[in-house]
């Protein structure tokens, strides 16, 4: 038996080392609340938006209709609050104010998207809308004047209706149309814009639009249209990369990449091999499907994905795989077509295997994946039901990407943020940004991941697709009831500005009342 004093001694040592260990993996803060690690000077900090979600002015100055305009006018109840993007935050008219806001945050980069039908009202390049071109030129010049570098997304889901009428992204011809549109945009704005992203979140556009049907075009083509859409988007992205690389880069000297999205997947029970496999399968089917063709050494769809969908298609009696096949030339054409890994990340799921769940269609991506996804009851869900807060998920995802695709290209977090139901005292958002950014610092400083930038989603409250205006993601509040769409900074805007100023996270900068938010 050990003497009581010896037991106490051991307990004290254990306690200290525990303190030390937890300090190592959790937040290390100095007395003044500052994070131990900092963001390098050349780290790109920014805020992100998307044209359809903020611009409004849906039919002004010769703009054509996008599929979101047309569909929401036809189906006004499609969004939860029966709203649409006709007016949104009216950024088409208020862009100068937006740029003052961006500047006030102290960020040096602004990720925005261009509306394809504002530039090409009919989708095709036989007619260019001069007023639309003039508008984006004004916005870009205003940004430059404010010393903010624009990062422009060519396509953030607002497809011209004329092209949707031809089948949208399931039509192989879309690859040509996208290239034509990109050529117009590069020639008109490439003197100013030096960082491009081709497409925002191929997965979400195809999954929500073809499998789940809660996003336009709501095509009800689950398990078939989903893969066609993904396939032609990959080809479209690659064509646009090469177009830039060959015809524009030599003169314009910019960079071009793509933005992919992923939830992180954690095994429901990390001691259970089946759950571990399920988590990996989830990541491969959701992110690997797009990332492998572009970023892996060998290119093409991941073997696991290829085999799984081929097998399922066969069992289901399809004459050929529902996942289209790239020719060897196409594999080569897509491989290596991104100067950075644009990553949108919001949340994490717990994965376990399942062959069928309520709500799944057959066939579908979910059914093909065979993974039941749960949320940990300990994770707060402050707004949208899909967005549970689990900060270490970002660090783990960035590590997963680094393990799978190496460090040839840097990761740029092109979106990250959290939703709530409104209010200026958005402690939830302050806490979210502090903790997610700290996990990013750990990935960079302790795990050796190559991360070059971070964009907060989003500058201000906006039109959140099928959630309408019911949930809020903004650093700035927008009063959608006022005609002037008045903007007001939230606490999170002040906190973000402080991070920009110090290049560190100051966990004490905004005190979060502990009684208010459990688990934050
Ligand atoms: C991003 O997508 C978008 O790029 C951006 O436009 C958007 O405003 C932002 O997120 C915030 O939502 O029906 O179960 O799929 C993030 C991916 C797409 C995830 C929609 C949640 C709805 C839940 N999101 N999806 S589900």
């Amino acid at each position: 038996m050990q003497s009581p004093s010896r037991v106490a001694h051991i307990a004290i040592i254990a306690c200290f080392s525990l303190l030390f260990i937890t300090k190592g993996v959790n937040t290390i803060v100095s007395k003044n609340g500052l994070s131990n690690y900092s963001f390098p000077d050349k780290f790109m900090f920014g805020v992100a938006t998307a044209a359809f979600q903020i611009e409004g002015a849906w039919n002004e100055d010769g703009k054509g209709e996008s599929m979101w305009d047309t569909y929401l006018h036809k189906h006004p109840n499609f969004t939860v609050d029966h709203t649409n993007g006709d007016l949104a935050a009216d950024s088409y008219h208020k862009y100068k104010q937006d740029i003052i806001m961006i500047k006030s945050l102290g960020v040096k980069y602004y990720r925005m998207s261009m509306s394809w039908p504002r530039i090409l009202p009919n989708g095709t390049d036989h007619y260019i809308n001069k007023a639309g071109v003039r508008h984006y030129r004004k916005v870009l010049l205003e940004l430059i004047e404010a010393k903010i570098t624009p990062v422009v997304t060519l396509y953030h889901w607002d497809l011209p209706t004329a092209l949707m009428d031809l089948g949208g992204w399931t039509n192989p011809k879309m690859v040509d149309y996208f290239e034509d549109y990109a050529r117009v945009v590069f020639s008109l704005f490439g003197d100013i814009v030096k960082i491009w992203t081709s497409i925002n979140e191929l997965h979400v556009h195809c999954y929500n639009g073809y499998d789940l049907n809660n996003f336009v075009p709501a095509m009800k083509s689950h398990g078939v249209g989903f893969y066609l859409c993904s396939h032609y988007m990959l080809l479209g992205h690659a064509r646009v990369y090469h177009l830039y690389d060959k015809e524009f880069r030599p003169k314009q000297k910019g960079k071009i990449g793509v933005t992919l999205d992923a939830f992180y997947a954690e095994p429901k029970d990390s001691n259970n091999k089946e759950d571990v496999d399920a988590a990996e399968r989830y990541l491969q089917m959701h992110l690997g499907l797009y990332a492998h063709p572009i970023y892996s050494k060998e290119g093409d769809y991941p073997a696991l994905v290829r085999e799984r969908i081929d097998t399922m298609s066969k069992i289901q009696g399809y004459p050929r795989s529902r996942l289209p096949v790239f020719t060897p030339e196409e594999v080569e054409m897509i491989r290596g077509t991104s100067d950075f890994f644009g990553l949108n990340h919001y949340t994490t799921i717990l994965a376990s295997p399942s062959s069928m769940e309520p709500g799944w269609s057959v066939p579908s991506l979910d059914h093909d994946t065979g993974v039941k996804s749960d949320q940990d009851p300990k994770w707060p869900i402050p707004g949208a039901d899909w967005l549970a807060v689990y900060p270490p998920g970002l660090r783990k995802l960035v590590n997963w990407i680094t393990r799978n695709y190496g460090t040839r290209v840097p990761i740029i977090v092109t979106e990250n943020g959290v939703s709530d139901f409104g209010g200026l005292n958005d402690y939830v958002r302050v806490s979210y940004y502090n903790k997610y950014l700290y996990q990013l610092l750990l990935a960079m400083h302790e795990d050796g991941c190559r991360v070059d930038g971070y964009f907060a989603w989003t500058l201000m409250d906006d039109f959140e697709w099928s959630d309408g205006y019911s949930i809020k993601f903004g650093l700035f509040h927008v009063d959608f009831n006022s005609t002037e769409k008045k903007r007001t900074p939230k606490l999170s805007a002040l906190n973000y500005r402080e991070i920009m100023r110090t290049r560190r996270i100051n966990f004490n900068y905004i005190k979060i009342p502990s009684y208010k938010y459990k688990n934050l």
Side-chain angles (χ1 to χ4, degrees):
M1 262 235 351
Q2 287 173 341
S3 73
S5 76
R6 181 150 167 75
V7 171
H9 188 70
I10 291 172
I12 287 167
I13 292 175
C15 227
F16 267 121
S17 45
L18 194 71
L19 206 82
F20 186 73
I21 291 165
T22 48
K23 269 188 138 191
V25 281
N26 288 319
T27 2
I28 302 186
V29 288
S30 56
K31 272 200 210 89
N32 55 10
L34 282 183
S35 59
N36 53 338
Y37 296 120
S38 64
F39 291 95
D41 285 342
K42 59 174 197 318
F43 189 84
M44 303 159 59
F45 263 121
V47 283
T49 61
F52 190 76
Q53 296 180 269
I54 61 165
E55 280 181 359
W58 73 280
N59 60 354
E60 279 185 51
D61 295 343
K63 175 180 168 294
E65 285 189 31
S66 79
M67 66 176 183
W68 277 88
D69 292 313
T70 309
Y71 195 89
L72 295 184
H73 292 156
K74 244 190 225 154
H75 308 273
N77 297 345
F78 188 72
T79 50
V80 299
D81 55 2
H82 304 179
T83 58
N84 60 34
D86 287 4
L87 303 176
D90 198 24
S91 282
Y92 186 72
H93 299 108
K94 304 211 153 18
Y95 69 89
K96 285 192 181 169
Q97 211 177 315
D98 294 349
I99 294 171
I100 293 172
M101 279 149 52
I102 300 165
K103 197 170 177 178
S104 79
L105 291 171
V107 305
K108 296 284 184 288
Y109 293 85
Y110 177 48
R111 175 172 177 251
M112 55 179 272
S113 80
M114 286 182 180
S115 156
W116 185 341
R118 203 180 281 293
I119 298 170
L120 305 179
N122 310 305
T124 46
D125 66 350
H126 69 285
Y127 171 66
I128 299 173
N129 177 30
K130 288 211 180 69
V133 173
R134 256 197 314 273
H135 168 73
Y136 287 121
R137 238 15 260 160
K138 281 191 293 185
V139 173
L140 293 172
L141 290 171
E142 189 84 10
L143 284 166
I144 297 300
E145 176 81 24
K147 300 200 166 46
I148 296 159
T149 305
V151 176
V152 175
T153 303
L154 292 172
Y155 179 71
H156 197 126
W157 309 347
D158 42 358
L159 191 73
T161 299
L163 298 183
M164 191 57 232
D165 291 343
L166 297 177
W169 283 100
T170 56
N171 180 348
K173 282 304 252 185
M174 207 55 57
V175 177
D176 296 332
Y177 295 136
F178 187 49
E179 188 182 13
D180 296 343
Y181 161 59
R183 182 178 285 106
V184 170
V185 173
F186 293 150
S187 355
L188 291 172
F189 308 110
D191 56 330
I192 302 180
V193 180
K194 302 299 169 191
I195 310 174
W196 298 97
T197 88
S198 58
I199 300 178
N200 179 69
E201 302 187 349
L202 292 77
H203 162 83
V204 171
H205 180 74
C206 299
Y207 175 65
N208 292 78
Y210 291 80
D211 256 28
L212 280 193
N213 305 309
N214 61 349
F215 275 26
V216 179
M219 282 306 273
K220 301 193 176 66
S221 178
H222 42 82
V224 178
F226 167 77
Y227 293 113
L228 289 172
C229 171
S230 301
H231 193 78
Y232 295 119
M233 273 194 155
L234 278 165
L235 286 165
H237 154 74
R239 276 272 278 281
V240 163
Y241 177 92
H242 289 295
L243 169 72
Y244 187 76
D245 198 45
K246 294 204 180 74
E247 290 182 29
F248 295 91
R249 200 200 304 263
K251 247 189 147 166
Q252 299 181 347
K253 305 204 182 327
K255 288 190 175 2
I256 178 164
V258 67
T259 278
L260 304 180
D261 63 289
F263 295 176
Y264 185 66
E266 189 119 292
K268 190 161 191 185
D269 171 0
S270 55
N271 296 317
N272 179 337
K273 169 89 167 61
E274 290 202 346
D275 289 2
V276 173
D277 291 349
E280 175 64 14
R281 191 159 72 243
Y282 181 94
L283 285 164
Q284 290 294 350
M285 296 283 291
H286 286 72
L287 180 57
L289 178 72
Y290 309 97
H292 198 273
I294 298 173
Y295 297 105
S296 70
K297 276 201 203 77
E298 61 278 20
D300 208 348
Y301 293 118
L304 178 151
V305 170
R306 175 87 265 161
E307 203 211 302
R308 208 163 161 92
I309 304 161
D310 288 1
T311 309
M312 296 288 259
S313 305
K314 207 169 191 175
I315 294 169
Q316 290 158 345
Y318 284 86
R320 64 187 73 83
S321 179
R322 288 179 281 104
L323 179 66
V325 175
F326 289 123
T327 64
E329 294 74 34
E330 287 171 336
V331 169
E332 268 318 289
M333 205 257 294
I334 298 171
R335 208 168 59 87
T337 52
S338 198
D339 300 330
F340 51 85
F341 196 117
L343 175 68
N344 290 0
H345 174 73
Y346 290 87
T347 190
T348 293
I349 59 113
L350 297 177
S352 56
S354 169
S355 48
M356 193 61 200
E357 289 296 317
W360 287 3
S361 307
V362 182
S364 67
L365 172 68
D366 285 323
H367 185 254
D368 288 341
T369 306
V371 172
K372 178 177 191 291
S373 75
D374 290 303
Q375 288 163 322
D376 190 320
K378 290 197 288 296
W379 300 340
I381 302 177
D385 57 4
W386 56 270
L387 207 171
V389 180
Y390 178 62
L394 176 58
R395 179 184 187 178
K396 294 177 185 184
L397 181 60
V398 163
N399 272 278
W400 188 90
I401 291 168
T402 306
R403 268 200 315 281
N404 278 270
Y405 312 113
T407 52
R408 184 184 68 83
V409 298
I411 294 170
I412 297 176
V413 178
T414 36
E415 284 179 28
N416 175 239
V418 70
S419 56
D420 61 14
F421 296 113
L424 296 177
N425 294 333
D426 57 342
Y427 297 109
V428 161
R429 192 162 290 106
V430 171
S431 161
Y432 184 98
Y433 281 123
N434 284 349
K435 292 184 176 174
Y436 272 71
L437 278 167
Y438 190 67
Q439 292 294 323
L440 200 62
L441 280 174
L442 294 178
M444 294 160 67
H445 291 274
E446 296 195 355
D447 311 334
C449 297
R450 186 173 168 205
V451 187
D452 277 8
Y454 177 95
F455 290 74
W457 183 271
T458 178
L459 174 63
M460 64 193 147
D461 296 339
D462 64 358
F463 176 75
E464 276 295 327
W465 309 110
S466 44
D467 286 316
Y469 302 93
S470 67
I471 51 167
K472 315 291 182 185
F473 273 90
L475 294 166
F476 284 77
H477 169 269
V478 176
D479 180 0
F480 290 105
N481 295 320
S482 67
T483 40
E484 69 276 18
K485 311 286 176 212
K486 190 171 179 305
R487 285 109 155 101
T488 315
K490 303 180 189 177
L491 280 185
S492 57
L494 306 180
N495 187 61
Y496 200 57
R497 185 178 64 184
E498 181 67 3
I499 298 171
M500 301 306 103
R501 193 179 70 77
T502 59
R503 312 299 277 187
R504 282 171 204 267
I505 296 141
N506 184 347
F507 288 93
N508 290 349
Y509 179 64
I510 285 169
K511 282 273 182 230
I512 298 176
S514 54
Y515 62 89
K516 241 183 157 156
Y517 294 103
K518 247 175 67 192
N519 291 338
L520 283 171

